Amino acid sequence: MAPGSQISPDQCHDDDDLDADHLREECGVFGIFGHPDAAAITALGLHALQHRGQEAAGIVSFDGQRFHSERRLGLVGDAFSKASTIERLPGRAAIGHTRYSTTGETILRNVQPLFAELGTGGFAVCHNGNLSNGLTLRRQLIGEGAIFQATSDTEVILHLVARSRRNRFVDRFTDALSQVEGAYAFVGMTNKKMVGARDPLGIRPLVLGDLDGCPILTSETCALDIIGARFVREIANGEVVIVGPEGIESLRPFPALRPRPCLFEYVYFSRPDSVLGGHNVYEVRKKIGATLAIESPVQADVVVPVPDSGVPAAIGFSQQSGIPYELGIIRNHYVGRTFIQPSQTGRELGVRMKHSANKAVVAGRRIVMVDDSIVRGTTSRKIVAMMREAGAAEIHFRIACPPIKFADYYGIDMPSQDKLIAARMSVQEIADYLGVDSLAFLSIDGLYRALGQPGRNNAMPQFTDHYFTGEYPTPISDHLGEASKQISLLAEAG
């Protein structure tokens, strides 16, 4: 998703938000072609992808004559639960998007899918990811007279397609893609066809499904399951697919590269019941936890997950270590950010409103807390304090990924490097800050082993892992100064 503006993530998202200490889930895309209930099916698919973005949702349909658009701020269920809304989206083709902005304001004009009338006809498009040269391209286009209506980098694609001198739409689309850098999974729709594209390294996910002969393009397999569709295959890295009445055409317009999917899809972003790269995400997370138990064992009485993202890894840790698994922290799923008051009391009570200690499990016991990651460390510190107050005899913290030390430019809403606790502190310093008896992170090789690899191939990494290593897999033109500074810091650390 998103740059295209100079607003930083820290301007857009309050540090006191309950989720500010966790990574944001990017965005989700869904499209179906040829189904009489295309909009309703798309709404259901977006429901399954709600975990990927909770700020806004939109659907564009085509009825054979006209495009219809409904875009709303808020959750999918709030936007598309009424039959009257779906009735305003007629047609046998539709695409949809659920949004979490990595930068830029959460306003209606930024809600996708975006639509424009081009010389070749109408074109609607949405995407998951981030164009790391989106701001550079935007400035160039504005300098050439382009008029932008939104601050999303998705709009850059509309302009590039419109300005291409190729004749066929698919050639104009691939011409546009050839000019962008970064990570993306695009789903678009013209008055004749549906198109999809995945970035040359396959950083962001995109899969092909089928419902009663109607092709589907979507971010995760869980969106296929909710509508009873069949998983066909993953869209390959660098592949462009064109779906029309005559069938599905696959193009490989770019030089072949080895795929490098994003590791955080396995660690955090994808829904546990999705299948990604041939791996069930839930099983991978359990293996991550088991590997963590092998690498960083501890004498304890109970394994306690930090809900909800830490649950699968905690189960794996428990099974491998033989330490009983218990719900020592209970999460309240009905607390929204608008419920928190901007007062000091509200900030202090914020974590308690979302997480409560289960004293019967915690009191007098040595506990192993397992979480998927630590970003700023602020929420983790408050949860640790809550466990102390509940009577935990010892607290050992285990993190199911390596320390996050570097910024992301591919669609993850990650704080600037100076706010990443692992970029500023050693493991022992983090442990002291959190107030735990011990702290350990999964190693980078351990994470790779959990995914069936012998370890990280440093010469040819199998996954995108720059947030741990500082090695960015693509050019990042909009952020060259920041990246070079981070890479130099990595060299000094080595």
Side-chain angles (χ1 to χ4, degrees):
M1 282 239 4
S5 78
Q6 299 185 49
I7 300 172
S8 73
D10 299 314
Q11 288 174 295
C12 301
H13 307 296
D14 189 346
D15 285 350
D16 294 321
D17 179 10
L18 288 182
D19 288 321
D21 198 23
H22 285 80
L23 301 176
R24 305 288 184 164
E25 292 95 335
E26 313 168 319
C27 301
V29 296
F30 187 97
I32 185 167
F33 187 86
H35 198 284
D37 298 317
I41 294 295
T42 299
L44 287 171
L46 294 181
H47 270 289
L49 299 173
Q50 185 73 87
H51 61 287
R52 299 188 72 89
Q54 298 89 46
E55 288 191 345
I59 296 175
V60 173
S61 70
F62 181 68
D63 65 5
Q65 298 294 324
R66 296 178 55 203
F67 288 86
H68 305 268
S69 177
E70 292 285 336
R71 299 183 298 161
R72 300 282 190 276
L73 300 179
L75 300 176
V76 176
D78 296 334
F80 297 104
S81 60
K82 295 181 179 179
S84 58
T85 305
I86 299 299
E87 289 170 359
R88 292 196 296 269
L89 293 165
R92 300 178 66 88
I95 64 172
H97 185 266
T98 184
R99 179 179 195 264
Y100 186 86
S101 62
T102 53
T103 61
E105 297 173 283
T106 304
I107 53 178
L108 194 58
R109 65 179 179 170
N110 282 336
V111 180
Q112 301 181 46
L114 300 182
F115 173 79
E117 289 284 357
L118 308 181
T120 54
F123 179 43
V125 65
C126 55
H127 108 276
N128 165 221
N130 194 57
L131 307 184
S132 55
N133 66 338
L135 183 56
T136 301
L137 289 171
R138 180 188 180 91
R139 288 170 175 161
Q140 292 174 356
L141 289 164
I142 291 174
E144 295 169 2
I147 299 173
F148 280 75
Q149 299 296 322
T151 59
S152 167
D153 57 350
T154 308
E155 193 173 8
V156 169
I157 287 292
L158 287 175
H159 284 279
L160 292 176
V161 172
R163 287 168 176 255
S164 175
R165 297 186 178 183
R166 306 287 177 84
N167 293 322
R168 297 192 311 154
F169 170 81
V170 65
D171 295 328
R172 296 164 74 98
F173 184 54
T174 56
D175 183 33
L177 293 178
S178 70
Q179 300 175 63
V180 303
E181 302 168 356
Y184 56 79
F186 280 104
V187 174
M189 182 174 61
T190 70
N191 53 4
K192 294 181 180 179
K193 297 180 178 182
M194 182 171 69
V195 297
R198 193 175 181 192
D199 64 80
L201 291 176
I203 297 173
R204 301 271 72 87
L206 188 64
V207 301
L208 175 67
D210 181 277
L211 179 63
D212 302 326
C214 301
I216 294 170
L217 292 169
T218 188
S219 296
E220 294 186 39
T221 61
C222 64
L224 302 176
D225 296 335
I226 196 174
I227 58 173
R230 177 175 61 92
F231 169 70
V232 177
R233 64 177 178 88
E234 291 193 3
I235 302 303
N237 56 303
E239 182 181 6
V240 176
V241 292
I242 304 95
V243 178
E246 65 281 1
I248 300 173
E249 180 183 4
S250 172
L251 303 177
R252 301 294 181 97
F254 309 115
L257 299 174
R258 292 185 308 103
R260 289 188 62 181
C262 175
L263 273 175
F264 256 111
E265 291 288 346
Y266 293 99
V267 172
Y268 182 79
F269 292 131
S270 294
R271 218 169 78 166
D273 54 332
S274 284
V275 175
L276 185 65
H279 301 281
N280 175 267
V281 174
Y282 175 72
E283 292 298 329
V284 169
R285 290 177 185 166
K286 286 204 303 180
K287 289 178 182 177
I288 287 173
T291 305
L292 184 59
I294 293 170
E295 288 187 348
S296 302
V298 62
Q299 295 293 319
D301 302 309
V302 63
V303 174
V304 173
V306 178
D308 289 322
S309 56
V311 168
I315 292 172
F317 192 104
S318 172
Q319 291 175 346
Q320 177 64 41
S321 65
I323 302 172
Y325 170 95
E326 296 285 356
L327 295 180
I329 303 170
I330 306 301
R331 180 180 177 183
N332 179 357
H333 290 84
Y334 304 99
V335 177
R337 59 188 296 171
T338 56
F339 190 75
I340 306 304
Q341 300 299 316
S343 65
Q344 181 63 29
T345 301
R347 287 192 290 269
E348 291 174 353
L349 295 178
V351 171
R352 295 177 184 272
M353 293 167 64
K354 194 164 188 177
H355 298 100
S356 300
N358 187 353
K359 293 183 180 180
V361 168
V362 173
R365 292 186 173 182
R366 301 169 297 172
I367 68 171
V368 184
M369 284 175 48
V370 179
D371 204 355
D372 64 304
S373 59
I374 294 181
V375 184
R376 291 176 173 89
T378 52
T379 300
S380 298
R381 185 182 189 184
K382 292 173 183 176
I383 291 176
V384 169
M386 185 174 64
M387 293 291 98
R388 291 287 188 198
E389 291 177 16
E394 296 177 11
I395 301 176
H396 304 275
F397 214 168
R398 297 295 180 265
I399 308 302
C401 75
I404 301 171
K405 296 183 177 182
F406 301 92
D408 177 83
Y409 305 114
Y410 302 117
I412 302 173
D413 181 24
M414 190 174 286
S416 56
Q417 190 176 26
D418 62 347
K419 292 191 176 183
L420 296 171
I421 191 170
R424 299 182 289 106
M425 298 182 183
S426 68
V427 173
Q428 185 56 54
E429 287 171 336
I430 298 172
D432 293 341
Y433 170 79
L434 297 179
V436 296
D437 294 279
S438 74
L439 171 67
F441 293 83
L442 184 69
S443 70
I444 187 71
D445 282 334
L447 183 52
Y448 274 75
R449 286 195 299 271
L451 281 156
Q453 303 291 335
R456 186 180 193 268
N457 183 335
N458 293 325
M460 301 177 67
Q462 307 95 311
F463 295 93
T464 291
D465 59 11
H466 50 278
Y467 20 72
F468 306 133
T469 65
E471 297 180 21
Y472 295 92
T474 77
I476 44 179
S477 300
D478 292 348
H479 311 277
L480 289 176
E482 300 168 57
S484 61
K485 180 180 178 181
Q486 291 167 6
I487 291 170
S488 67
L489 287 171
L490 178 68
E492 291 173 11

